[in-house]
Amino acid sequence: MAACGSSGTAPLSPLDRLHYPVGVAVRGPAGQEQLLVVSSNYDLAYDRDEGGVLFSVGPEASPQDGLAIEGTLRMGSFGGELAVAEAAAPAGLDTSADACALPQSVALVASRATRQVYKVALGADGSLTCGADCPQLLPEDFLDPFGVTVACRNARRPRAFVTARRTNRAVSRLVEIDLATGAQRIGDFGYGTTHSVAYDAALDRIYFTSSADYGSSALRYVDVTPWCDPPLYLEECHADVVNVGEFVRGADLGGIALSNPNVDADGKPMPRRLYIGARLFDADLAASLGWRPGFDTGGVLVVLEVDEAQFGVPAFRFIGAIPVGFGPAEVRVLPRRPGKRDVVAITVSDEGLLWIYDDDVGAMARVFGRDGVTGAPLLGRVPYGIAVQDRGATARLYVTAFDSSFVTPVDVPLDNPGEAAIVEVADPADPTRQVPRRLGQERQ
């Protein structure tokens, strides 16, 4: 266990249970997984500066309604998304396709309470270590850091990009962190805020969602290619913006994911697609008020196709907006299906849903909501974060329940996503009965 400073104003959070978990990541092969979960201390029941906790958990060894904890690290409250930058594969753990060639694999997570990013060294035994450059303070007006995405391309200058949901000057701002040196550079991209980032390793390009104003829903992209290396500022790189509001009026963009590179049955490369969760608001009322109304009218999964036109300038084609309900949150693409479009998972927090979307047929294949008998939410109250593990013919999802404070595994057959199912185990109180697998003790 490690700690990094304390405000001393409230008790420290417990290290044996999750408390409002948000970001989640999984690494390693089936049976040897390391599950990383960010406990946010959302209600500030514990110390503001150290009330958050990053947990390292062995899911296979965890008892029902409990956690086999391998490591913990105290951090600031209000943690956000979680990303992992892999070094060369450590013992017992495999490496990502875009390994970052660091001395050691690291997890990255930001704290909105302390305005810091934690670069946490990951031990092969599940241990977590906050080193000399952990945590790292972000710029003074970077008030609500939230999204974190790793961007490594052939191990060239490994980077992470961090978003800000709020800044002093209400600008769409990103911070790029060089994972080898710790150097930061900042990019301002006009009015608004930034939410989440997706990285295209093939083109060395980032896409990020940004709220602009009541009449514009900004999807921005930046080509962070070699010629755009420091000392240039990010905004001096090739960048542009797409107003998704022209396709979907009143769209407030959130989580984003990029399709897998793939080829069709004829061997022709498929155009990449973006999948974006968007809350909807009344655009006409917003125009009348001059600002976004404080309530939503629904939510959708927006699908855009990226056409790489001449001179490296992409064109965006609207594929569709699939209704998902109130409160779309995180979006994740499941492992590649040769010759087919992707399977996509999206959590819908306000309604307690997890949708599985099959882009090959352009429709939702499965939804998890409430138990038909008891009415209890199948994935817990307020499902939010999603981690994806490739298990060959199946993908396993780990879904955090923000309010219930546990994690639920879900298995999705890639060739038949409509058969997705929550992983079940024998009820400890009645072994003849199967119940949903729960990692962690439910918060009452």
Side-chain angles (χ1 to χ4, degrees):
M1 187 273 292
C4 305
S6 174
S7 64
T9 59
L12 295 177
S13 54
L15 298 177
D16 61 350
R17 69 184 72 99
L18 303 174
H19 191 66
Y20 293 104
V22 281
V24 59
V26 63
R27 57 195 296 264
Q32 303 177 47
E33 301 94 337
Q34 180 185 19
L35 188 67
L36 302 168
V37 188
V38 179
S39 191
S40 71
N41 189 31
Y42 171 76
D43 59 353
L44 291 180
Y46 304 105
D47 186 83
R48 176 182 178 275
D49 291 350
E50 285 192 305
V53 180
L54 176 62
F55 285 88
S56 172
V57 174
E60 293 298 314
S62 295
Q64 177 70 348
D65 301 317
L67 299 171
I69 297 172
E70 299 174 342
T72 61
L73 184 133
R74 296 195 186 279
M75 56 174 285
S77 300
F78 304 135
E81 294 179 347
L82 180 64
V84 174
E86 295 285 8
L93 297 172
D94 55 356
T95 186
S96 62
D98 299 303
C100 296
L102 299 171
Q104 188 172 7
S105 298
V106 297
L108 296 119
V109 60
S111 164
R112 296 162 68 186
T114 62
R115 214 178 75 249
Q116 294 171 319
V117 169
Y118 293 76
K119 188 177 79 171
V120 182
L122 304 176
D125 60 353
S127 60
L128 305 174
T129 307
C130 205
D133 57 349
C134 168
Q136 186 174 141
L137 191 65
L138 292 166
E140 185 174 352
D141 68 344
F142 209 78
L143 301 181
D144 268 339
F146 179 77
V148 182
T149 296
V150 168
C152 298
R153 185 187 190 191
N154 300 325
R156 186 193 67 83
R157 196 165 61 82
R159 297 153 292 171
F161 292 92
V162 185
T163 68
R165 285 186 166 181
R166 185 166 60 97
T167 63
N168 282 333
R169 295 182 291 120
V171 295
S172 290
R173 168 167 283 192
L174 288 178
V175 169
E176 179 197 70
I177 300 176
D178 188 312
L179 297 179
T181 67
Q184 296 183 12
R185 63 172 179 166
I186 302 168
D188 292 343
F189 299 94
Y191 178 80
T193 61
T194 52
H195 190 287
S196 296
V197 179
Y199 175 61
D200 183 346
L203 297 175
D204 217 11
R205 174 186 294 162
I206 57 172
Y207 301 91
F208 60 99
T209 51
S210 174
S211 62
D213 56 39
Y214 62 87
S216 175
S217 305
L219 168 65
R220 303 177 188 272
Y221 68 89
V222 184
D223 289 322
V224 287
T225 50
W227 61 264
C228 188
D229 280 351
L232 291 176
Y233 290 99
L234 275 175
E235 61 262 34
E236 294 178 283
C237 306
H238 177 233
D240 209 341
V241 60
V242 178
N243 180 14
V244 179
E246 294 180 356
F247 307 123
V248 184
R249 294 191 71 227
D252 190 354
L253 308 183
I256 183 172
L258 178 67
S259 68
N260 292 300
N262 209 341
V263 295
D264 60 23
D266 297 325
K268 181 180 178 181
M270 294 181 179
R272 303 294 288 274
R273 288 185 174 180
L274 293 167
Y275 307 99
I276 306 169
R279 293 174 177 259
L280 300 180
F281 59 88
D282 187 325
D284 293 327
L285 178 59
S288 175
L289 295 173
W291 61 80
R292 186 210 193 282
F295 61 91
D296 293 350
T297 60
V300 294
L301 175 67
V302 179
V303 183
L304 300 176
E305 190 164 281
V306 184
D307 178 22
E308 296 301 328
Q310 291 183 344
F311 310 114
V313 179
F316 296 84
R317 184 167 72 92
F318 177 65
I319 301 299
I322 300 91
V324 296
F326 287 84
E330 294 293 277
V331 183
R332 293 292 182 268
V333 169
L334 277 58
R336 185 176 70 94
R337 304 188 295 176
K340 291 184 176 182
R341 284 288 178 187
D342 287 303
V343 178
V344 181
I346 177 172
T347 47
V348 182
S349 296
D350 294 1
E351 296 198 31
L353 306 176
L354 170 70
W355 288 95
I356 307 297
Y357 172 72
D358 188 343
D359 198 26
D360 209 48
V361 298
M364 291 296 177
R366 186 83 163 88
V367 62
F368 297 92
R370 293 183 176 272
D371 186 284
V373 176
T374 66
L378 294 172
L379 295 166
R381 302 182 302 273
V382 192
Y384 190 82
I386 309 171
V388 181
Q389 182 188 35
D390 188 349
R391 292 191 164 203
T394 301
R396 174 159 292 186
L397 311 182
Y398 291 91
V399 183
T400 60
F402 174 76
D403 193 31
S404 295
S405 294
F406 56 67
V407 179
T408 303
V410 178
D411 283 342
V412 184
L414 295 176
D415 283 338
N416 192 7
E419 296 298 317
I422 294 173
V423 176
E424 294 186 334
V425 296
D427 187 346
D430 180 6
T432 65
R433 177 172 171 263
Q434 293 288 301
V435 293
R437 179 81 162 106
R438 299 286 190 239
L439 303 175
Q441 179 182 346
E442 182 171 4
R443 192 187 67 84
Q444 301 299 325

